[in-house]
Amino acid sequence: MQSEQVFNKAWELLKERKFQACEVIDTDSRLAEMQIDAGDISLMRTTLDRSVSIRALRDHRYASIAMNQVTDSSIESAVEALDVAAQNAPVDEARVCIGPEVGGVDSLKHGPQREELEPMYHRMQEFLTTAKKDFPDLKLEQSGLTFRSRTSRRINSSGLTVSEQSGEYQVMAMFSSKRGEKTSSFNYTGVSLSRLERPLIEMGAVRRLLESSVRELDHAPLKGKFVGRVIVAPECVLPFLFGGILGHLGDSRVIAGTSRLADQVGERVLSREITLRADVEDESFAERELFTSDGYRARSTTLFENGVLKSLLLSEYGARKSNRPRGFNGGSNLVLEPGAHSLDQMIAQVERGILVGRFSGGDPAANGDISGVAKNSYLIENGKVVGPISEAMLSGNLFTMMNSVFGLSKEVLDDGSSRMPYVGVDQVTVSGVD
Amino acid sequence: MLRFSDLRAVISKPGDHYLECRFQENRDLRIGFLNGQLVTNLQSSKSGVSARSFSSGYWGFSSAVAPTQAALKEVAQEALKNASFLGSRGKKMASLQKLRDDRVSFSRSYLSNKPRVAVSTWIEYLKSIDQMIAAKYPNLKSRSVSLMSLDMERVVRTTDGVEVHTVVPRAHLAIALTLQSEVGPVALRDVRGGLGEPQDLFPLADSELEQWIEKVGEGVLRKANGVLPKAGVADVILAPDLAGILAHEAVGHTTEADLVLGGSVAGDLLGKPVASPLVSLVDYAHTYNGEPAPQPVHVDDEGVLAEDTPIIDRGILTTFMHSRETAAQFDQKATGHARAFLFSDEPLIRMRNTAILPGQSEIEEMIGSIEHGYFLTNPGNGQADTTGEFMFAVGAGYEIENGKLSRPLRDATISGVAFDMLKSVTMVSKDFAWESSGYCGKKQPMPVGMGGPAIKCRLSLGGQ
């Protein structure tokens, strides 16, 4: 059954039940994957999937359902379930439409549509051979090269039809190192690619992190406790520093009234060094946000400029609900403006601190408090990296840290969907063993 | 929905190569209220067919959406083709452990005997809970009440002749409250539920519901006036809900054979003391103390009859958790750990119901034994490491001063090196509790059970 048939059938049935708006998103996806396990290629996997979501609105009552079996009877059952859900949904004056109120036709394509198995196998074998030769102590765990493509059609009752076709490769490496009885902490890295033109080990941070994994075999427990500076590696900047902060820009916290940033657009809320953009229109990214969750074409925006909050990340519904402007994207393809100093120059500014490779911690508290373990990290003393550490905990408040930025590197990591420099922050409690 | 007869049409007799075929359906229900508004009301179903083949030491896997014999035949051929693609280009010495019993034909459903309750009724129930919370705690910044249920149904047949059909449901109710404090918003979340459909577990008796709301409400009020723990190493009592996540994160993951092959520190410690003699840890297959465990597995996705896996026996590391391939490699017993989350996923080595066994002490006695330390409860997310280092988030607790509970805590994170921490265990309580609402993350998520008593040990806290 084609997407238009799914929509037409669902809409006919919904109209009979007095629904006023409906939207169907129908996505076919394909995956081809070669996986490494215990240091060798072990599995080849190809999958086809389909998912259909139907959203509907009746008298300001909203309902949604998702399924992957698409038949006449499954659509009928779905409509029945939507009817019951809408009967029980609250009247929400902010629910006035589904997706854009004005119809139209839009279509975007990005990236390859089909995998090439022979180049995939060649690059995987090359990766394994090079990794084993250059890093004999390395242990590759569940790593692999995956190709994903998706074709999605969104049709709604306002006359909107949006088609999206996208595809990309992704290399994912998960690894640790072992020599005798010494083991290093596991680490992982991923890069999104449009083409397989270069060896996988040279992409993104792959080689740097494999090298570091071997060095980390000589980790020593951190001793003592101090409040000081940490330099966060680019691959850790988004999950550690920005993950909790960006949550304060979205629907969930803004609607619940627990956002610290909802009323601060136009005000400086982070250090002046921070300029963060969502560059969704940059075609050089292998993986891009093409359309927002509402079906609008995604537009690039600046989220923070010199520390000033410029934009929230609200959906159509979140915007109406909170009486604030809609976001033009979902906060993807983030680019943090780099600084003027090299990483070595930043390290030279640290009397005692940590270079953090990976952060393993709980979700930040609602007020931004965060604590967790510094993994794949190094001790810095008197402006020099001393050596790899273990058993080091970091605690602090994300907002305090991001208002205490002492530097951004000129080196930038491009992982195919974002670009981040090293970020140096102050006011972090670092504690080790007694 | 496919049946054994459909799978027999695809696998009618043993072939040259190992092949397993599977039909699987995951059915999800989520209902959520936020500040009195219904914000989530989602039912979804993901189903399809898959096949996995083992040939020349390599695996091939394929899946498709259509639940038909024709689609199953196609994915079986594709899986064989994928394995051959790798086999024709490489050499690998790998084999599968023979099954102890290849005449297994097993069917079991844990679906409810009670009539299914309409979604509208659950919505009304959650609304009533929300209203009770709002009435009792009108000054909250936000409140959420949610119901989550997941049924996993699978039909499997392998070329060894094994057939399995199981349906395992789980359902949970969660309350999360946020209060504005002098240091900003503080939140507390608590969950109830386990094996079964929602109508098996809910509604809660009125008195139980009132007590639960009070537990979470008073908890967040205390937390709003709470302190951060002092950063550093301390003596702690981990409440039973935390011991389970400890068993899973700190120990379980390091003893999964694929992580052992990936360099886990447990690889060098088989047969050696890794914990205090007070500590025994088992990954239960389907039954604990005569009752079904939260995630019962009777036969895994490779056709292995599931047995309990005793990982630590009175402090000694005794075995790893295996698939058929790693069991052959290590020459240990496969006890049924290979599971896949969706129809489109391949089976991986997964934990099932991992628990530290209860001991002899009373919790009050354990608290009384600590001069300066902490009592910790309410686990959040956690993570393990090949080095044995672990961490997990802790949502609530108290300082212990001179053997008594003292100031309440705000959020904390604890970490340690698993086997060092387990060797520091000096008391284990008689109590036991299962926790089963979360998902274990690896390449795929997976529902798991985690259980334990309260334990006294020494570990690191993140704080001030």
Side-chain angles (χ1 to χ4, degrees), chain B residues 99-101 104-111 154 156 162-169 195 283-288 290-308 334-339 352-353:
Chain B
L99 296 180
R100 292 183 298 288
D101 187 344
V104 174
S105 181
F106 181 86
S107 289
R108 176 77 188 257
S109 168
Y110 285 89
L111 289 178
R154 57 195 237 290
V156 177
V162 174
E163 291 180 335
V164 190
H165 178 196
T166 59
V167 193
V168 179
L195 177 69
D283 188 271
Y284 289 93
H286 45 77
T287 306
Y288 171 75
E291 295 291 324
Q295 280 294 309
V297 176
H298 295 267
V299 184
D300 76 1
D301 289 345
E302 291 185 320
V304 175
L305 208 53
E307 295 176 22
D308 298 341
T335 47
H337 286 275
R339 292 199 288 153
R352 303 159 308 182
N353 304 281

Side-chain angles (χ1 to χ4, degrees), chain B residues 384-454:
Chain B
D385 200 340
T386 39
T387 54
E389 196 172 18
F390 64 90
M391 84 85 205
F392 42 96
V394 173
Y398 295 88
E399 291 176 323
I400 298 176
E401 293 295 332
N402 301 316
K404 289 185 172 23
L405 297 183
S406 172
R407 296 183 296 178
L409 297 177
R410 298 212 309 262
D411 297 286
T413 306
I414 57 177
S415 75
V417 176
F419 299 131
D420 291 345
M421 181 275 299
L422 286 179
K423 286 175 188 165
S424 76
V425 171
T426 50
M427 298 173 92
V428 178
S429 81
K430 296 174 179 173
D431 322 71
F432 185 87
W434 281 115
E435 211 294 304
S436 63
S437 62
Y439 286 87
C440 171
K442 211 164 160 175
K443 187 183 171 194
Q444 314 151 14
M446 181 61 76
V448 290
M450 304 182 280

Side-chain angles (χ1 to χ4, degrees), chain A residues 293-312:
Chain A
S293 60
D294 293 310
Y296 292 98
R297 188 179 278 220
R299 300 287 181 207
S300 297
T301 53
T302 301
L303 299 178
F304 297 93
E305 187 168 41
N306 302 320
V308 174
L309 177 61
K310 305 297 283 183
S311 167
L312 299 178

Side-chain angles (χ1 to χ4, degrees), chain A residues 33 35 42 44-46 68-69 88 118 142 176 178 184-186 225 257 358 360 367 371 375 391 395, chain B residues 47 59 61-62 65 82 89 120 141 183 258 262-263 268 344 383-386 389 410 413 443 463-464:
Chain A
E33 174 182 60
Q35 185 173 291
S42 68
M44 182 157 137
R45 178 167 158 245
T46 51
N68 74 336
Q69 297 297 337
N88 290 285
E118 289 294 348
Q142 278 151 9
S176 59
K178 195 162 173 67
S184 70
S185 183
F186 87 86
K225 179 173 135 181
R358 179 167 69 90
S360 173
N367 68 344
S371 69
K375 298 283 197 177
E391 300 185 66
S395 313
Chain B
S47 63
W59 290 101
F61 180 94
S62 182
V65 170
N82 288 343
R89 286 162 177 78
S120 54
K141 191 153 178 76
V183 293
D258 49 350
D268 300 316
S344 50
Q383 196 178 61
D385 200 340
T386 39
E389 196 172 18
R410 298 212 309 262
T413 306
K443 187 183 171 194
Q464 288 181 324

